[in-house]
Each structure stands twice: as C-alpha cells, then as structure tokens.
Amino acid sequence: MSRIRGLFVTGTDTGVGKTLITAALAAALRAEGRNVGVWKPVQSGASIGSGDTDAERLLRGSGIDERPESVAPFSFEAPLTPLLAARAAGIEISLEAIAAGGLPLMERYESLLIEGAGGVAVPLTHDALVIDWIAALGTPVLIVARSSLGTINHTLLTGFMLRQRGIEVAGVVLNDGPGPAAALEADDPSIAGNASLIEQYSGMRVLGRFPRISPDRALNAKELAKLTRTIDLSPIRQALNIDELR
C-alpha cells in the first residue's frame, strides 16, 4: 500500500497507556483546528458496545464523532494477541484486509493517529508482526513507555527493532500511569533519570511525561488536551505532516 499521512503509536508493552495518550494527542491537535482522526486497526479484549474497547476510549477521549466500528474494523472479544483473538473468532486476517478497513478514515481525515496492539513484536497475522504492518504503512512511530523502573530496557529494545527496519522514530512519550501522583518519584527514584538515559543510549528524543490520572476519573477531550502541555508536540506535528495545515 502507498504511504499514508499518519503517525503510528506503539508501546513497549501492553497496558502502557497507548490509548490514553493517542486520544489526548488527537484532542490537542483537533483543538488547534487540525483535521486529525484516530484508527485502531485491530483490537481485542472487549466487545464494541461495552464501552471498554480501545476504539470507544479513543473516541471519548479525543471528542471525535465516529462509530467505533469505523475506527476499529477488526474487533475481537477474546483478551489475546490479535492473531490468536482472530483465530478464536474463526477469522484469518491479512495486512491487505487491515489496510482496506482503514481506507474510509484515510479519505475523511488529513492525517491519522494509528494505535497499535501491544508492542512492535506482537503477532498480527499468520505471517506478520506489528512491525511489519508499520513498515507497510510507511509512517513514523511514536513510542509510549512507562516512566517507571524497567522502561530503559524496554524502550531501547523497541527503538532498536524499529531502526533495524529503517522506520523513523518521532520520539518517546513516558507515561506515569494510573493512580495517585503523590510521592511518585520518591516511590520510584529511577523515574528522575530514565528520560535522559533513554536519550543518551538510543539517540531518540523523549518528548515529555504524561501525568498520572486516577483510573476512576473520566476526562473529556478538552481536559485531556490540556494534559499534553507536558509534551513537545512539534515533532508529532512534523511526523503527521500537518504543520502546513494550520
């Protein structure tokens, strides 16, 4: 498929906050008047209509008026890696079919924030990992990683794998995760130095830290957009190729 105008959001693992940060970035860019959409090519772990799917969270957080089925054309209930979740549903997916599912979104939006499933080495189809899908799209990548202990190893490995494939990394966003913000760095002193060490050893830019949010707190698009003030959005705009759209 031909290169699309978009930015792929991947994680160093599952549960690192990709959906929250993708939604917040979309909300912030749309607040600037940019026609940015969201796309979750494959999701698993809940059924659409439950309110718990990544697509539904993306739409709530970004304020985009779309049907979740349009944002996530391939959705599976089983909490498994996409390959196994699809097989459990009796479906065999391919990169071509996934690409076709996103064509309507590509036509409606100037640029797309594309949220992956788990990390770059997650099996997506019978013969492709998520990184193969990224390479096929031809988009730059934003890495979402935990702020806490262990993130240096996971982030460096993710960046190394992407660069081996010649995939551009727009930057890294560290996520403080859910829970109370009080005494965060006192509880985990590694957080204070993780960003600088990631930059030192990888050459990748850490664009900022996303603050902790209580899991019981439901934020609207306006509130989420404000939280991106801790993130340098310039490389994200550049990766999305939307600077000239202002």
PDB file of all heavy atoms in Angstrom, residues 158-176:
ATOM      1  N   THR A 158      12.741  -1.623  21.854  1.00  0.00           N
ATOM      2  CA  THR A 158      11.722  -1.231  20.875  1.00  0.00           C
ATOM      3  C   THR A 158      12.319  -0.322  19.810  1.00  0.00           C
ATOM      4  O   THR A 158      12.117  -0.519  18.604  1.00  0.00           O
ATOM      5  CB  THR A 158      10.548  -0.524  21.576  1.00  0.00           C
ATOM      6  OG1 THR A 158       9.959  -1.421  22.526  1.00  0.00           O
ATOM      7  CG2 THR A 158       9.491  -0.089  20.574  1.00  0.00           C
ATOM      8  N   GLY A 159      13.078   0.678  20.248  1.00  0.00           N
ATOM      9  CA  GLY A 159      13.700   1.591  19.292  1.00  0.00           C
ATOM     10  C   GLY A 159      14.695   0.901  18.392  1.00  0.00           C
ATOM     11  O   GLY A 159      14.758   1.172  17.176  1.00  0.00           O
ATOM     12  N   PHE A 160      15.470  -0.024  18.952  1.00  0.00           N
ATOM     13  CA  PHE A 160      16.459  -0.758  18.159  1.00  0.00           C
ATOM     14  C   PHE A 160      15.774  -1.581  17.072  1.00  0.00           C
ATOM     15  O   PHE A 160      16.210  -1.599  15.916  1.00  0.00           O
ATOM     16  CB  PHE A 160      17.278  -1.673  19.068  1.00  0.00           C
ATOM     17  CG  PHE A 160      18.295  -2.512  18.336  1.00  0.00           C
ATOM     18  CD1 PHE A 160      19.464  -1.944  17.854  1.00  0.00           C
ATOM     19  CD2 PHE A 160      18.079  -3.859  18.122  1.00  0.00           C
ATOM     20  CE1 PHE A 160      20.408  -2.711  17.170  1.00  0.00           C
ATOM     21  CE2 PHE A 160      19.007  -4.634  17.442  1.00  0.00           C
ATOM     22  CZ  PHE A 160      20.175  -4.057  16.959  1.00  0.00           C
ATOM     23  N   MET A 161      14.696  -2.261  17.415  1.00  0.00           N
ATOM     24  CA  MET A 161      13.991  -3.084  16.443  1.00  0.00           C
ATOM     25  C   MET A 161      13.408  -2.231  15.316  1.00  0.00           C
ATOM     26  O   MET A 161      13.474  -2.600  14.137  1.00  0.00           O
ATOM     27  CB  MET A 161      12.885  -3.874  17.142  1.00  0.00           C
ATOM     28  CG  MET A 161      12.278  -4.973  16.288  1.00  0.00           C
ATOM     29  SD  MET A 161      11.198  -6.049  17.269  1.00  0.00           S
ATOM     30  CE  MET A 161      10.720  -7.230  15.988  1.00  0.00           C
ATOM     31  N   LEU A 162      12.836  -1.078  15.668  1.00  0.00           N
ATOM     32  CA  LEU A 162      12.281  -0.189  14.650  1.00  0.00           C
ATOM     33  C   LEU A 162      13.367   0.322  13.712  1.00  0.00           C
ATOM     34  O   LEU A 162      13.195   0.339  12.487  1.00  0.00           O
ATOM     35  CB  LEU A 162      11.564   0.986  15.318  1.00  0.00           C
ATOM     36  CG  LEU A 162      10.235   0.654  16.004  1.00  0.00           C
ATOM     37  CD1 LEU A 162       9.813   1.778  16.937  1.00  0.00           C
ATOM     38  CD2 LEU A 162       9.148   0.392  14.967  1.00  0.00           C
ATOM     39  N   ARG A 163      14.492   0.720  14.269  1.00  0.00           N
ATOM     40  CA  ARG A 163      15.558   1.284  13.440  1.00  0.00           C
ATOM     41  C   ARG A 163      16.214   0.223  12.571  1.00  0.00           C
ATOM     42  O   ARG A 163      16.700   0.528  11.478  1.00  0.00           O
ATOM     43  CB  ARG A 163      16.568   1.997  14.326  1.00  0.00           C
ATOM     44  CG  ARG A 163      16.013   3.322  14.840  1.00  0.00           C
ATOM     45  CD  ARG A 163      16.946   4.031  15.775  1.00  0.00           C
ATOM     46  NE  ARG A 163      16.540   5.417  15.940  1.00  0.00           N
ATOM     47  CZ  ARG A 163      17.133   6.275  16.762  1.00  0.00           C
ATOM     48  NH1 ARG A 163      18.167   5.873  17.496  1.00  0.00           N
ATOM     49  NH2 ARG A 163      16.704   7.510  16.872  1.00  0.00           N
ATOM     50  N   GLN A 164      16.238  -1.009  13.041  1.00  0.00           N
ATOM     51  CA  GLN A 164      16.747  -2.093  12.197  1.00  0.00           C
ATOM     52  C   GLN A 164      15.948  -2.217  10.912  1.00  0.00           C
ATOM     53  O   GLN A 164      16.478  -2.629   9.877  1.00  0.00           O
ATOM     54  CB  GLN A 164      16.695  -3.423  12.955  1.00  0.00           C
ATOM     55  CG  GLN A 164      17.944  -3.754  13.742  1.00  0.00           C
ATOM     56  CD  GLN A 164      18.002  -5.225  14.100  1.00  0.00           C
ATOM     57  OE1 GLN A 164      16.997  -5.831  14.459  1.00  0.00           O
ATOM     58  NE2 GLN A 164      19.173  -5.812  13.993  1.00  0.00           N
ATOM     59  N   ARG A 165      14.674  -1.876  10.983  1.00  0.00           N
ATOM     60  CA  ARG A 165      13.802  -1.951   9.819  1.00  0.00           C
ATOM     61  C   ARG A 165      13.753  -0.634   9.050  1.00  0.00           C
ATOM     62  O   ARG A 165      12.978  -0.490   8.098  1.00  0.00           O
ATOM     63  CB  ARG A 165      12.387  -2.350  10.253  1.00  0.00           C
ATOM     64  CG  ARG A 165      12.280  -3.752  10.832  1.00  0.00           C
ATOM     65  CD  ARG A 165      12.477  -4.815   9.763  1.00  0.00           C
ATOM     66  NE  ARG A 165      11.434  -4.746   8.752  1.00  0.00           N
ATOM     67  CZ  ARG A 165      10.267  -5.372   8.830  1.00  0.00           C
ATOM     68  NH1 ARG A 165       9.999  -6.138   9.886  1.00  0.00           N
ATOM     69  NH2 ARG A 165       9.382  -5.268   7.863  1.00  0.00           N
ATOM     70  N   GLY A 166      14.553   0.338   9.472  1.00  0.00           N
ATOM     71  CA  GLY A 166      14.576   1.623   8.777  1.00  0.00           C
ATOM     72  C   GLY A 166      13.351   2.478   9.036  1.00  0.00           C
ATOM     73  O   GLY A 166      13.013   3.350   8.226  1.00  0.00           O
ATOM     74  N   ILE A 167      12.682   2.257  10.160  1.00  0.00           N
ATOM     75  CA  ILE A 167      11.462   3.004  10.489  1.00  0.00           C
ATOM     76  C   ILE A 167      11.817   4.215  11.342  1.00  0.00           C
ATOM     77  O   ILE A 167      12.523   4.104  12.352  1.00  0.00           O
ATOM     78  CB  ILE A 167      10.459   2.096  11.223  1.00  0.00           C
ATOM     79  CG1 ILE A 167      10.016   0.953  10.294  1.00  0.00           C
ATOM     80  CG2 ILE A 167       9.259   2.888  11.718  1.00  0.00           C
ATOM     81  CD1 ILE A 167       9.230  -0.148  10.989  1.00  0.00           C
ATOM     82  N   GLU A 168      11.335   5.361  10.945  1.00  0.00           N
ATOM     83  CA  GLU A 168      11.628   6.617  11.649  1.00  0.00           C
ATOM     84  C   GLU A 168      10.905   6.652  12.996  1.00  0.00           C
ATOM     85  O   GLU A 168       9.715   6.360  13.080  1.00  0.00           O
ATOM     86  CB  GLU A 168      11.176   7.801  10.799  1.00  0.00           C
ATOM     87  CG  GLU A 168      11.345   9.153  11.470  1.00  0.00           C
ATOM     88  CD  GLU A 168      10.702  10.276  10.690  1.00  0.00           C
ATOM     89  OE1 GLU A 168      10.310  10.060   9.527  1.00  0.00           O
ATOM     90  OE2 GLU A 168      10.570  11.385  11.258  1.00  0.00           O
ATOM     91  N   VAL A 169      11.630   7.018  14.040  1.00  0.00           N
ATOM     92  CA  VAL A 169      11.033   7.185  15.369  1.00  0.00           C
ATOM     93  C   VAL A 169      10.906   8.678  15.652  1.00  0.00           C
ATOM     94  O   VAL A 169      11.904   9.388  15.747  1.00  0.00           O
ATOM     95  CB  VAL A 169      11.880   6.491  16.453  1.00  0.00           C
ATOM     96  CG1 VAL A 169      11.253   6.725  17.833  1.00  0.00           C
ATOM     97  CG2 VAL A 169      12.002   5.000  16.177  1.00  0.00           C
ATOM     98  N   ALA A 170       9.673   9.148  15.782  1.00  0.00           N
ATOM     99  CA  ALA A 170       9.436  10.572  16.026  1.00  0.00           C
ATOM    100  C   ALA A 170       9.804  10.970  17.449  1.00  0.00           C
ATOM    101  O   ALA A 170      10.130  12.129  17.711  1.00  0.00           O
ATOM    102  CB  ALA A 170       7.972  10.907  15.756  1.00  0.00           C
ATOM    103  N   GLY A 171       9.746  10.020  18.358  1.00  0.00           N
ATOM    104  CA  GLY A 171      10.080  10.315  19.741  1.00  0.00           C
ATOM    105  C   GLY A 171       9.440   9.323  20.689  1.00  0.00           C
ATOM    106  O   GLY A 171       8.796   8.358  20.275  1.00  0.00           O
ATOM    107  N   VAL A 172       9.663   9.585  21.974  1.00  0.00           N
ATOM    108  CA  VAL A 172       9.152   8.726  23.050  1.00  0.00           C
ATOM    109  C   VAL A 172       8.349   9.593  24.008  1.00  0.00           C
ATOM    110  O   VAL A 172       8.765  10.704  24.350  1.00  0.00           O
ATOM    111  CB  VAL A 172      10.310   8.051  23.818  1.00  0.00           C
ATOM    112  CG1 VAL A 172       9.779   7.199  24.973  1.00  0.00           C
ATOM    113  CG2 VAL A 172      11.187   7.232  22.884  1.00  0.00           C
ATOM    114  N   VAL A 173       7.193   9.102  24.430  1.00  0.00           N
ATOM    115  CA  VAL A 173       6.427   9.741  25.497  1.00  0.00           C
ATOM    116  C   VAL A 173       6.385   8.782  26.675  1.00  0.00           C
ATOM    117  O   VAL A 173       5.996   7.614  26.530  1.00  0.00           O
ATOM    118  CB  VAL A 173       4.995  10.087  25.048  1.00  0.00           C
ATOM    119  CG1 VAL A 173       4.153  10.540  26.241  1.00  0.00           C
ATOM    120  CG2 VAL A 173       5.010  11.180  23.992  1.00  0.00           C
ATOM    121  N   LEU A 174       6.815   9.253  27.826  1.00  0.00           N
ATOM    122  CA  LEU A 174       6.762   8.453  29.042  1.00  0.00           C
ATOM    123  C   LEU A 174       5.436   8.703  29.747  1.00  0.00           C
ATOM    124  O   LEU A 174       4.972   9.845  29.829  1.00  0.00           O
ATOM    125  CB  LEU A 174       7.929   8.810  29.968  1.00  0.00           C
ATOM    126  CG  LEU A 174       9.329   8.565  29.399  1.00  0.00           C
ATOM    127  CD1 LEU A 174      10.389   9.002  30.402  1.00  0.00           C
ATOM    128  CD2 LEU A 174       9.521   7.099  29.021  1.00  0.00           C
ATOM    129  N   ASN A 175       4.829   7.644  30.233  1.00  0.00           N
ATOM    130  CA  ASN A 175       3.529   7.743  30.882  1.00  0.00           C
ATOM    131  C   ASN A 175       3.650   7.354  32.347  1.00  0.00           C
ATOM    132  O   ASN A 175       4.110   6.247  32.657  1.00  0.00           O
ATOM    133  CB  ASN A 175       2.528   6.825  30.163  1.00  0.00           C
ATOM    134  CG  ASN A 175       1.137   6.913  30.769  1.00  0.00           C
ATOM    135  OD1 ASN A 175       0.759   7.933  31.329  1.00  0.00           O
ATOM    136  ND2 ASN A 175       0.367   5.844  30.643  1.00  0.00           N
ATOM    137  N   ASP A 176       3.234   8.257  33.224  1.00  0.00           N
ATOM    138  CA  ASP A 176       3.312   7.976  34.662  1.00  0.00           C
ATOM    139  C   ASP A 176       2.297   6.934  35.111  1.00  0.00           C
ATOM    140  O   ASP A 176       2.415   6.380  36.193  1.00  0.00           O
ATOM    141  CB  ASP A 176       3.118   9.259  35.467  1.00  0.00           C
ATOM    142  CG  ASP A 176       4.350  10.155  35.423  1.00  0.00           C
ATOM    143  OD1 ASP A 176       5.411   9.694  34.960  1.00  0.00           O
ATOM    144  OD2 ASP A 176       4.246  11.324  35.850  1.00  0.00           O
TER     145      ASP A 176
END
